[in-house]
Amino acid sequence: MYKKKSFFITFEGIEGSGKSYQSKKLFKKVKSMKLPVIYTREPGGTVAAEKIRQLILDDYYYPGSKEKFDKYTDTLLYMAARNEHIKKKIYPSILKKKIIICDRFIDSTLAYQVYGKGISRNLVSNIHRYILGRIKPDLTFVLKSKLSKAMQRLKKRKKKNRYDRFTKKFYYKIQKAFLKIAQTNKRKYMVVDNSFDTPRTEEIIYKKFIKTYSK
Ligand code: TMP
């Protein structure tokens, strides 16, 4: 028997790293164990935050628009969505002692906005101080992948326009940033190489979850 406690797990990585697939796999597995678990994502996770997500993604992918959000607008929208998500979903779930599996969280802002786009780290940290309170992930999986494999996965997606969003060079930079972030706390982060579509990845993730959760 496991002790009932909240446990916050995040999955991070570039598009095509397989993090959404792997996080859903873990969710199904944990659910099948009859443990209290929820699945959520960022940007999004609540009705209001999903609206903000739509706003951000429309701006990225709408081919006809000449005027794009400024990078600070974009960042503030991610933060606004996160605030809604924390207040309305993450925090209440923590109080209910649930296991939360979240596809992307604060490290995506660090990797994409701070390292990738050069947004002030101070601004991001300060806003996080206000909106996060004491909430922080207990365990973060950083999925890394060979860029050629990630690109291949993206090409297979129905929404092909996503593939055009960033250059390969940008993804290389973002992946490097995720790996750097993971180095800051080796106990909390686990880097998983997901370059190959093998069931081993799921097993590694599940084992790490069990080990950390049952501590
Ligand atoms: P997704 O493809 O994993 O659903 O994520 C949507 C996009 O949002 C993806 O390009 C990464 C980006 N993103 C940021 O740039 N900053 C953030 O803080 C978050 C949560 C996502």
Side-chain angles (χ1 to χ4, degrees), residues 101-134:
I101 298 178
C102 189
D103 183 352
R104 294 197 186 281
F105 196 55
I106 49 174
D107 295 329
S108 281
T109 315
L110 268 186
Y112 284 84
Q113 276 69 48
V114 175
Y115 286 101
K117 299 272 179 73
I119 294 287
S120 151
R121 180 191 280 264
N122 254 342
L123 174 89
V124 170
S125 309
N126 277 330
I127 297 176
H128 275 155
R129 203 165 301 137
Y130 283 100
I131 68 177
L132 290 175
R134 281 196 272 167

mmCIF file of all heavy atoms in Angstrom, residues 101-134:
data_model
loop_
_atom_site.group_PDB
_atom_site.id
_atom_site.type_symbol
_atom_site.label_atom_id
_atom_site.label_comp_id
_atom_site.label_asym_id
_atom_site.label_seq_id
_atom_site.Cartn_x
_atom_site.Cartn_y
_atom_site.Cartn_z
ATOM 1 N N ILE A 101 0.084 14.663 -13.017
ATOM 2 C CA ILE A 101 1.040 14.472 -14.113
ATOM 3 C C ILE A 101 0.792 15.597 -15.110
ATOM 4 O O ILE A 101 -0.299 15.727 -15.666
ATOM 5 C CB ILE A 101 0.875 13.089 -14.784
ATOM 6 C CG1 ILE A 101 1.159 11.988 -13.752
ATOM 7 C CG2 ILE A 101 1.806 12.963 -16.000
ATOM 8 C CD1 ILE A 101 0.985 10.566 -14.263
ATOM 9 N N CYS A 102 1.797 16.416 -15.300
ATOM 10 C CA CYS A 102 1.626 17.626 -16.107
ATOM 11 C C CYS A 102 2.599 17.665 -17.285
ATOM 12 O O CYS A 102 3.809 17.559 -17.098
ATOM 13 C CB CYS A 102 1.822 18.849 -15.196
ATOM 14 S SG CYS A 102 1.406 20.397 -15.977
ATOM 15 N N ASP A 103 2.030 17.824 -18.478
ATOM 16 C CA ASP A 103 2.820 17.935 -19.707
ATOM 17 C C ASP A 103 3.263 19.401 -19.833
ATOM 18 O O ASP A 103 2.447 20.251 -20.157
ATOM 19 C CB ASP A 103 1.918 17.499 -20.875
ATOM 20 C CG ASP A 103 2.632 17.494 -22.210
ATOM 21 O OD1 ASP A 103 3.778 17.970 -22.288
ATOM 22 O OD2 ASP A 103 2.037 17.016 -23.186
ATOM 23 N N ARG A 104 4.486 19.665 -19.512
ATOM 24 C CA ARG A 104 5.137 20.992 -19.472
ATOM 25 C C ARG A 104 4.751 21.772 -18.220
ATOM 26 O O ARG A 104 3.619 21.739 -17.764
ATOM 27 C CB ARG A 104 4.801 21.875 -20.674
ATOM 28 C CG ARG A 104 5.328 21.374 -21.995
ATOM 29 C CD ARG A 104 5.305 22.516 -23.018
ATOM 30 N NE ARG A 104 5.655 22.061 -24.336
ATOM 31 C CZ ARG A 104 6.887 21.825 -24.751
ATOM 32 N NH1 ARG A 104 7.896 22.015 -23.936
ATOM 33 N NH2 ARG A 104 7.128 21.406 -25.975
ATOM 34 N N PHE A 105 5.754 22.532 -17.739
ATOM 35 C CA PHE A 105 5.518 23.450 -16.613
ATOM 36 C C PHE A 105 6.597 24.528 -16.655
ATOM 37 O O PHE A 105 7.032 24.909 -17.753
ATOM 38 C CB PHE A 105 5.503 22.645 -15.295
ATOM 39 C CG PHE A 105 4.897 23.368 -14.117
ATOM 40 C CD1 PHE A 105 3.617 23.898 -14.174
ATOM 41 C CD2 PHE A 105 5.616 23.534 -12.939
ATOM 42 C CE1 PHE A 105 3.054 24.572 -13.093
ATOM 43 C CE2 PHE A 105 5.077 24.198 -11.844
ATOM 44 C CZ PHE A 105 3.796 24.718 -11.929
ATOM 45 N N ILE A 106 7.037 24.987 -15.492
ATOM 46 C CA ILE A 106 7.934 26.163 -15.446
ATOM 47 C C ILE A 106 9.232 26.023 -16.256
ATOM 48 O O ILE A 106 9.734 27.013 -16.764
ATOM 49 C CB ILE A 106 8.294 26.551 -13.990
ATOM 50 C CG1 ILE A 106 8.765 25.336 -13.191
ATOM 51 C CG2 ILE A 106 7.110 27.190 -13.297
ATOM 52 C CD1 ILE A 106 9.272 25.683 -11.798
ATOM 53 N N ASP A 107 9.748 24.817 -16.381
ATOM 54 C CA ASP A 107 11.013 24.670 -17.121
ATOM 55 C C ASP A 107 10.854 24.984 -18.602
ATOM 56 O O ASP A 107 11.826 25.348 -19.266
ATOM 57 C CB ASP A 107 11.590 23.266 -16.924
ATOM 58 C CG ASP A 107 11.983 23.037 -15.479
ATOM 59 O OD1 ASP A 107 12.369 24.015 -14.811
ATOM 60 O OD2 ASP A 107 11.892 21.885 -15.001
ATOM 61 N N SER A 108 9.626 24.850 -19.113
ATOM 62 C CA SER A 108 9.400 25.218 -20.517
ATOM 63 C C SER A 108 9.574 26.726 -20.686
ATOM 64 O O SER A 108 10.084 27.186 -21.703
ATOM 65 C CB SER A 108 7.997 24.803 -20.980
ATOM 66 O OG SER A 108 7.973 23.426 -21.280
ATOM 67 N N THR A 109 9.153 27.485 -19.685
ATOM 68 C CA THR A 109 9.318 28.948 -19.772
ATOM 69 C C THR A 109 10.808 29.311 -19.709
ATOM 70 O O THR A 109 11.281 30.177 -20.443
ATOM 71 C CB THR A 109 8.551 29.659 -18.628
ATOM 72 O OG1 THR A 109 7.264 29.070 -18.532
ATOM 73 C CG2 THR A 109 8.419 31.138 -18.881
ATOM 74 N N LEU A 110 11.522 28.612 -18.833
ATOM 75 C CA LEU A 110 12.967 28.873 -18.742
ATOM 76 C C LEU A 110 13.642 28.527 -20.069
ATOM 77 O O LEU A 110 14.436 29.314 -20.592
ATOM 78 C CB LEU A 110 13.579 28.005 -17.641
ATOM 79 C CG LEU A 110 13.666 28.581 -16.241
ATOM 80 C CD1 LEU A 110 14.420 27.630 -15.333
ATOM 81 C CD2 LEU A 110 14.403 29.928 -16.270
ATOM 82 N N ALA A 111 13.325 27.350 -20.596
ATOM 83 C CA ALA A 111 14.001 26.895 -21.813
ATOM 84 C C ALA A 111 13.609 27.741 -23.033
ATOM 85 O O ALA A 111 14.483 28.267 -23.730
ATOM 86 C CB ALA A 111 13.700 25.424 -22.059
ATOM 87 N N TYR A 112 12.304 27.895 -23.266
ATOM 88 C CA TYR A 112 11.862 28.586 -24.489
ATOM 89 C C TYR A 112 11.994 30.108 -24.386
ATOM 90 O O TYR A 112 12.482 30.753 -25.302
ATOM 91 C CB TYR A 112 10.405 28.244 -24.821
ATOM 92 C CG TYR A 112 10.204 26.883 -25.428
ATOM 93 C CD1 TYR A 112 10.095 25.753 -24.637
ATOM 94 C CD2 TYR A 112 10.105 26.721 -26.812
ATOM 95 C CE1 TYR A 112 9.894 24.502 -25.191
ATOM 96 C CE2 TYR A 112 9.899 25.470 -27.381
ATOM 97 C CZ TYR A 112 9.788 24.367 -26.566
ATOM 98 O OH TYR A 112 9.594 23.126 -27.119
ATOM 99 N N GLN A 113 11.488 30.661 -23.271
ATOM 100 C CA GLN A 113 11.461 32.124 -23.210
ATOM 101 C C GLN A 113 12.805 32.707 -22.728
ATOM 102 O O GLN A 113 13.310 33.642 -23.350
ATOM 103 C CB GLN A 113 10.305 32.607 -22.315
ATOM 104 C CG GLN A 113 8.964 32.680 -23.032
ATOM 105 C CD GLN A 113 8.374 31.330 -23.399
ATOM 106 O OE1 GLN A 113 8.315 30.426 -22.576
ATOM 107 N NE2 GLN A 113 7.942 31.174 -24.636
ATOM 108 N N VAL A 114 13.332 32.163 -21.628
ATOM 109 C CA VAL A 114 14.556 32.762 -21.081
ATOM 110 C C VAL A 114 15.777 32.377 -21.934
ATOM 111 O O VAL A 114 16.436 33.248 -22.501
ATOM 112 C CB VAL A 114 14.752 32.382 -19.590
ATOM 113 C CG1 VAL A 114 16.084 32.905 -19.063
ATOM 114 C CG2 VAL A 114 13.582 32.925 -18.754
ATOM 115 N N TYR A 115 16.049 31.084 -22.049
ATOM 116 C CA TYR A 115 17.222 30.668 -22.846
ATOM 117 C C TYR A 115 17.000 30.876 -24.337
ATOM 118 O O TYR A 115 17.893 31.303 -25.057
ATOM 119 C CB TYR A 115 17.547 29.190 -22.604
ATOM 120 C CG TYR A 115 18.183 28.914 -21.261
ATOM 121 C CD1 TYR A 115 17.440 28.401 -20.208
ATOM 122 C CD2 TYR A 115 19.549 29.160 -21.051
ATOM 123 C CE1 TYR A 115 18.012 28.136 -18.969
ATOM 124 C CE2 TYR A 115 20.137 28.892 -19.819
ATOM 125 C CZ TYR A 115 19.360 28.378 -18.785
ATOM 126 O OH TYR A 115 19.943 28.124 -17.575
ATOM 127 N N GLY A 116 15.788 30.561 -24.799
ATOM 128 C CA GLY A 116 15.543 30.597 -26.243
ATOM 129 C C GLY A 116 15.337 31.993 -26.801
ATOM 130 O O GLY A 116 15.928 32.356 -27.808
ATOM 131 N N LYS A 117 14.496 32.785 -26.104
ATOM 132 C CA LYS A 117 14.129 34.091 -26.681
ATOM 133 C C LYS A 117 14.780 35.274 -25.978
ATOM 134 O O LYS A 117 14.542 36.414 -26.343
ATOM 135 C CB LYS A 117 12.599 34.252 -26.622
ATOM 136 C CG LYS A 117 11.812 33.201 -27.402
ATOM 137 C CD LYS A 117 11.624 33.620 -28.854
ATOM 138 C CE LYS A 117 10.882 32.615 -29.700
ATOM 139 N NZ LYS A 117 9.448 32.541 -29.436
ATOM 140 N N GLY A 118 15.529 34.982 -24.917
ATOM 141 C CA GLY A 118 16.235 36.060 -24.232
ATOM 142 C C GLY A 118 15.371 36.921 -23.330
ATOM 143 O O GLY A 118 15.691 38.083 -23.051
ATOM 144 N N ILE A 119 14.268 36.370 -22.857
ATOM 145 C CA ILE A 119 13.421 37.092 -21.890
ATOM 146 C C ILE A 119 14.160 37.162 -20.545
ATOM 147 O O ILE A 119 14.865 36.216 -20.175
ATOM 148 C CB ILE A 119 12.073 36.344 -21.717
ATOM 149 C CG1 ILE A 119 11.257 36.377 -23.018
ATOM 150 C CG2 ILE A 119 11.257 36.851 -20.534
ATOM 151 C CD1 ILE A 119 10.631 37.689 -23.373
ATOM 152 N N SER A 120 13.947 38.271 -19.833
ATOM 153 C CA SER A 120 14.628 38.453 -18.555
ATOM 154 C C SER A 120 14.283 37.331 -17.555
ATOM 155 O O SER A 120 13.115 37.082 -17.262
ATOM 156 C CB SER A 120 14.220 39.804 -17.962
ATOM 157 O OG SER A 120 14.277 39.774 -16.552
ATOM 158 N N ARG A 121 15.327 36.697 -17.053
ATOM 159 C CA ARG A 121 15.116 35.621 -16.075
ATOM 160 C C ARG A 121 14.513 36.183 -14.783
ATOM 161 O O ARG A 121 13.709 35.549 -14.122
ATOM 162 C CB ARG A 121 16.462 34.948 -15.771
ATOM 163 C CG ARG A 121 16.359 33.809 -14.775
ATOM 164 C CD ARG A 121 17.716 33.383 -14.326
ATOM 165 N NE ARG A 121 18.345 32.516 -15.289
ATOM 166 C CZ ARG A 121 18.309 31.183 -15.193
ATOM 167 N NH1 ARG A 121 17.708 30.618 -14.186
ATOM 168 N NH2 ARG A 121 18.906 30.449 -16.086
ATOM 169 N N ASN A 122 14.933 37.424 -14.476
ATOM 170 C CA ASN A 122 14.418 38.085 -13.272
ATOM 171 C C ASN A 122 12.915 38.257 -13.314
ATOM 172 O O ASN A 122 12.226 38.024 -12.329
ATOM 173 C CB ASN A 122 15.022 39.491 -13.188
ATOM 174 C CG ASN A 122 16.059 39.538 -12.113
ATOM 175 O OD1 ASN A 122 16.086 38.660 -11.242
ATOM 176 N ND2 ASN A 122 16.923 40.541 -12.175
ATOM 177 N N LEU A 123 12.440 38.688 -14.483
ATOM 178 C CA LEU A 123 10.996 38.899 -14.646
ATOM 179 C C LEU A 123 10.262 37.577 -14.405
ATOM 180 O O LEU A 123 9.300 37.517 -13.635
ATOM 181 C CB LEU A 123 10.683 39.409 -16.059
ATOM 182 C CG LEU A 123 9.187 39.514 -16.340
ATOM 183 C CD1 LEU A 123 8.648 40.869 -15.928
ATOM 184 C CD2 LEU A 123 8.855 39.248 -17.789
ATOM 185 N N VAL A 124 10.749 36.532 -15.045
ATOM 186 C CA VAL A 124 10.105 35.222 -14.931
ATOM 187 C C VAL A 124 10.152 34.725 -13.484
ATOM 188 O O VAL A 124 9.138 34.276 -12.932
ATOM 189 C CB VAL A 124 10.762 34.220 -15.921
ATOM 190 C CG1 VAL A 124 10.304 32.799 -15.667
ATOM 191 C CG2 VAL A 124 10.463 34.625 -17.365
ATOM 192 N N SER A 125 11.319 34.842 -12.850
ATOM 193 C CA SER A 125 11.446 34.373 -11.460
ATOM 194 C C SER A 125 10.532 35.158 -10.532
ATOM 195 O O SER A 125 9.922 34.602 -9.621
ATOM 196 C CB SER A 125 12.873 34.521 -10.944
ATOM 197 O OG SER A 125 13.749 33.947 -11.832
ATOM 198 N N ASN A 126 10.459 36.475 -10.770
ATOM 199 C CA ASN A 126 9.616 37.297 -9.897
ATOM 200 C C ASN A 126 8.146 36.927 -10.029
ATOM 201 O O ASN A 126 7.452 36.791 -9.024
ATOM 202 C CB ASN A 126 9.804 38.784 -10.210
ATOM 203 C CG ASN A 126 11.026 39.332 -9.491
ATOM 204 O OD1 ASN A 126 11.381 38.861 -8.410
ATOM 205 N ND2 ASN A 126 11.700 40.294 -10.096
ATOM 206 N N ILE A 127 7.697 36.758 -11.254
ATOM 207 C CA ILE A 127 6.283 36.383 -11.438
ATOM 208 C C ILE A 127 6.043 35.007 -10.817
ATOM 209 O O ILE A 127 5.049 34.782 -10.125
ATOM 210 C CB ILE A 127 5.873 36.414 -12.928
ATOM 211 C CG1 ILE A 127 5.990 37.844 -13.462
ATOM 212 C CG2 ILE A 127 4.440 35.904 -13.107
ATOM 213 C CD1 ILE A 127 5.710 38.015 -14.938
ATOM 214 N N HIS A 128 6.990 34.109 -11.029
ATOM 215 C CA HIS A 128 6.836 32.768 -10.441
ATOM 216 C C HIS A 128 6.735 32.840 -8.914
ATOM 217 O O HIS A 128 5.989 32.093 -8.297
ATOM 218 C CB HIS A 128 7.993 31.855 -10.861
ATOM 219 C CG HIS A 128 7.744 31.202 -12.197
ATOM 220 N ND1 HIS A 128 8.747 30.756 -13.017
ATOM 221 C CD2 HIS A 128 6.585 30.925 -12.848
ATOM 222 C CE1 HIS A 128 8.210 30.224 -14.110
ATOM 223 N NE2 HIS A 128 6.914 30.332 -14.029
ATOM 224 N N ARG A 129 7.489 33.735 -8.343
ATOM 225 C CA ARG A 129 7.451 33.869 -6.877
ATOM 226 C C ARG A 129 6.024 34.194 -6.409
ATOM 227 O O ARG A 129 5.565 33.698 -5.407
ATOM 228 C CB ARG A 129 8.417 34.980 -6.449
ATOM 229 C CG ARG A 129 8.860 34.839 -5.006
ATOM 230 C CD ARG A 129 10.067 35.695 -4.708
ATOM 231 N NE ARG A 129 11.216 35.379 -5.535
ATOM 232 C CZ ARG A 129 12.012 36.278 -6.115
ATOM 233 N NH1 ARG A 129 11.785 37.561 -5.981
ATOM 234 N NH2 ARG A 129 13.044 35.889 -6.843
ATOM 235 N N TYR A 130 5.337 35.016 -7.199
ATOM 236 C CA TYR A 130 3.967 35.389 -6.814
ATOM 237 C C TYR A 130 2.952 34.293 -7.116
ATOM 238 O O TYR A 130 2.025 34.088 -6.358
ATOM 239 C CB TYR A 130 3.539 36.675 -7.551
ATOM 240 C CG TYR A 130 4.149 37.905 -6.938
ATOM 241 C CD1 TYR A 130 5.270 38.496 -7.498
ATOM 242 C CD2 TYR A 130 3.611 38.474 -5.774
ATOM 243 C CE1 TYR A 130 5.852 39.616 -6.929
ATOM 244 C CE2 TYR A 130 4.183 39.593 -5.201
ATOM 245 C CZ TYR A 130 5.304 40.155 -5.783
ATOM 246 O OH TYR A 130 5.868 41.265 -5.210
ATOM 247 N N ILE A 131 3.116 33.650 -8.252
ATOM 248 C CA ILE A 131 2.052 32.724 -8.642
ATOM 249 C C ILE A 131 2.257 31.287 -8.158
ATOM 250 O O ILE A 131 1.287 30.551 -8.042
ATOM 251 C CB ILE A 131 1.770 32.754 -10.168
ATOM 252 C CG1 ILE A 131 2.937 32.189 -10.985
ATOM 253 C CG2 ILE A 131 1.437 34.156 -10.646
ATOM 254 C CD1 ILE A 131 2.640 32.135 -12.486
ATOM 255 N N LEU A 132 3.491 30.915 -7.874
ATOM 256 C CA LEU A 132 3.721 29.516 -7.494
ATOM 257 C C LEU A 132 3.514 29.248 -6.006
ATOM 258 O O LEU A 132 3.155 28.144 -5.622
ATOM 259 C CB LEU A 132 5.150 29.080 -7.850
ATOM 260 C CG LEU A 132 5.498 28.917 -9.326
ATOM 261 C CD1 LEU A 132 6.977 28.607 -9.477
ATOM 262 C CD2 LEU A 132 4.684 27.805 -9.953
ATOM 263 N N GLY A 133 3.773 30.241 -5.197
ATOM 264 C CA GLY A 133 3.760 29.999 -3.752
ATOM 265 C C GLY A 133 4.808 28.933 -3.450
ATOM 266 O O GLY A 133 5.938 29.029 -3.928
ATOM 267 N N ARG A 134 4.380 27.888 -2.750
ATOM 268 C CA ARG A 134 5.366 26.849 -2.438
ATOM 269 C C ARG A 134 5.273 25.645 -3.378
ATOM 270 O O ARG A 134 5.864 24.597 -3.122
ATOM 271 C CB ARG A 134 5.196 26.413 -0.981
ATOM 272 C CG ARG A 134 5.867 27.439 -0.048
ATOM 273 C CD ARG A 134 6.075 26.892 1.306
ATOM 274 N NE ARG A 134 4.899 27.131 2.136
ATOM 275 C CZ ARG A 134 4.687 26.546 3.291
ATOM 276 N NH1 ARG A 134 5.520 25.667 3.758
ATOM 277 N NH2 ARG A 134 3.605 26.838 3.998
#
